[in-house]
Amino acid sequence: MDTVTTGPVTVFCDDKAVLAESIVWSPEEQVLRWTDITLGTLTTAAADGTVRSVVPLPPPLASFQPRAAGGFVAALGDTVVLTGPDGAVERELVHVQHATPGIRFNEGKCDPFGRFVVGSMDLGGEDPAGALYAVEPDGSVRTLRGGFGVANGFEWTADGSAMFVTDTSTSTIYRASYGPDGQLGELVPFISGAAHDGLVRDHEDCLWTAVYGAGRVERWGPDGAHLETVEVPAPNVTSVAFGGEDLSTLYVGTARENLAEEDLEHHPHSGAVFAVPTRVHGFPAYTFSG
């Protein structure tokens, strides 16, 4: 497989987010959205990077995804809520009692079958109690797997028969069987060796992963072979998603958290969303069916 020839990395929108995450492109509206987890804001930007709106929600706003009925499903600290098209919370859908007070929701994506899969993070000890949950449109919730330090970077194969899930705390992206019933099989290490964060698949079934703390995005083939590295001028790379008119632009989120003033002087665009043109394309985000 040929490596992807990517264009120059440019700043798409520099809103200096504390922790930009959960990037989602809307093909219908031709806008890009992302959260600042720490501040609890949902930002919408036009295709040229101009900010259209910044909607405050109760922080932490860990992740969100589009609803088929309009609006969004969003994970806060320990609740999953439904919002209207303007981002305002309409109602609470699910409340989860985390194992300890230090745990919060983190990554969340809709699977190919219309449910919202959301993970939590637990950095409080040697025996992490973070988990992966499946939230159904009717408001029911079940635990898919426990024992995560930082549940992160979700993606599915084209037919939905396998899921990729990252545990940033173990520097590993796992692969497991999956299907319409939402049952998650055994986690098998697929890619290891770096603090992988956000994850997205392109039309050649390759995975793009943000590497937190390393200032780069990596592309990996379906066989787990490393294909390409894209250097990003900000160390804390968090989230990746395809967007743009033909879904060939890779958008990359970054964070200012955990950086000293000296770091920010060297990397002044930390907290920005970057844009990288590619010769491949991604897919629209799956929607929550409820």
Side-chain angles (χ1 to χ4, degrees), residues 35-264:
T35 71
D36 186 328
I37 293 179
T38 305
L39 299 183
T41 53
L42 175 62
T43 298
T44 300
D48 64 357
T50 303
V51 173
R52 288 188 176 178
S53 66
V54 180
V55 178
L57 282 87
L61 175 55
S63 51
F64 77 100
Q65 292 283 277
R67 294 168 59 194
F72 311 100
V73 56
L76 308 180
D78 57 6
T79 60
V80 174
V81 300
L82 299 180
T83 83
D86 60 354
V89 175
E90 293 181 344
R91 65 184 177 93
E92 178 181 307
L93 183 66
V94 167
H95 177 270
V96 169
Q97 184 68 46
H98 295 308
T100 67
I103 298 177
R104 69 160 173 83
F105 279 137
N106 194 47
E107 174 80 311
K109 271 189 175 181
C110 292
D111 71 12
F113 310 104
R115 61 179 64 85
F116 184 55
V117 179
V118 60
S120 61
M121 57 185 290
D122 176 17
L123 300 178
E126 297 180 358
D127 188 19
L132 191 65
Y133 302 92
V135 178
E136 301 288 348
D138 63 5
S140 61
V141 60
R142 55 193 170 84
T143 303
L144 297 179
R145 189 64 51 85
F148 286 93
V150 182
N152 225 335
F154 306 158
E155 192 51 274
W156 287 264
T157 55
D159 62 0
S161 65
M163 179 181 180
F164 299 93
V165 55
T166 305
D167 190 337
T168 306
S169 70
T170 64
S171 300
T172 302
I173 300 171
Y174 300 90
R175 178 181 172 127
S177 61
Y178 201 79
D181 58 0
Q183 296 298 319
L184 186 70
E186 178 185 359
L187 296 180
V188 178
F190 184 67
I191 300 168
S192 299
H196 301 286
D197 198 320
L199 196 65
V200 70
R201 180 177 59 86
D202 66 31
H203 83 280
E204 295 182 345
D205 289 331
C206 296
L207 295 176
W208 298 74
T209 173
V211 184
Y212 189 89
R216 68 180 188 266
V217 174
E218 297 174 345
R219 185 178 187 245
W220 295 80
D223 58 354
H226 177 262
L227 299 177
E228 186 178 8
T229 295
V230 178
E231 302 292 339
V232 179
N236 293 341
V237 185
T238 57
S239 181
V240 284
F242 281 99
E245 187 174 358
D246 59 356
L247 295 173
S248 67
T249 299
L250 184 72
Y251 292 101
V252 181
T254 63
R256 296 172 68 85
E257 66 166 12
N258 300 325
L259 296 178
E261 287 301 321
E262 182 179 358
D263 298 322
L264 293 173

